[in-house]
Amino acid sequence: MIQIKKTILTLALLLTAATGARAAWTGGTYTATANENLGAITVNGDATLTINSDVTVTVTGGINVASGTLTVTGPGTLVVTGAKGNNGASSWEGGNGSNGGVAISGNIIVQGGATVKATGGNGGNGGASGPENGGHGANGAAAISGNVTVLGGATVKATGGNGGNGGNSGDET
């Protein structure tokens, strides 16, 4: 029964990789045996992501550990990027950009030689405007917001996202 559960969880991980959709992990063990690209992930419960040697799992849109703990074990690599903020609309007054998203939020343990590279999402740019000031660029996000425990030769590299540029203002003609 345990082997069947692990196989089903691995197939679910592979299906998510194929679709790039948002995934909801509710505990259990997920194993990556080949390079994978995933959309945003929400974790509820204690989950373990095992990444085999020479394998990279890339997650765009961030990982939100809403409850429990995500344990990443290696020796592979997990690359997580937070969502980019939206750009402000160009208008007479110039729209403001929105903030970038955090790459990993919640409790995470990295062990077993795994490497985690987390980059916060960049803030959106401000929109262009008429003769007044353009819209404001938004804040980039933190790479990690939560508790991180690094054990057993694991590596974590965290880089915050960049802020967005302010919008241009036009001439009053």
Side-chain angles (χ1 to χ4, degrees), residues 34-117:
N35 292 343
E36 301 184 29
N37 294 306
L38 306 172
I41 296 172
T42 300
V43 177
N44 287 295
D46 294 330
T48 299
L49 173 60
T50 302
I51 307 172
N52 289 357
S53 181
D54 299 322
V55 172
T56 299
V57 174
T58 302
V59 178
T60 55
I63 297 175
N64 175 24
V65 184
S67 66
T69 300
L70 173 62
T71 300
V72 179
T73 188
T77 301
L78 173 64
V79 177
V80 184
T81 304
K84 181 187 181 308
N86 293 321
N87 292 331
S90 295
S91 65
W92 185 252
E93 294 179 4
N96 297 327
S98 65
N99 294 334
V102 173
I104 301 173
S105 62
N107 298 319
I108 182 171
I109 298 171
V110 184
Q111 64 185 22
T115 298
V116 172
K117 298 177 183 177

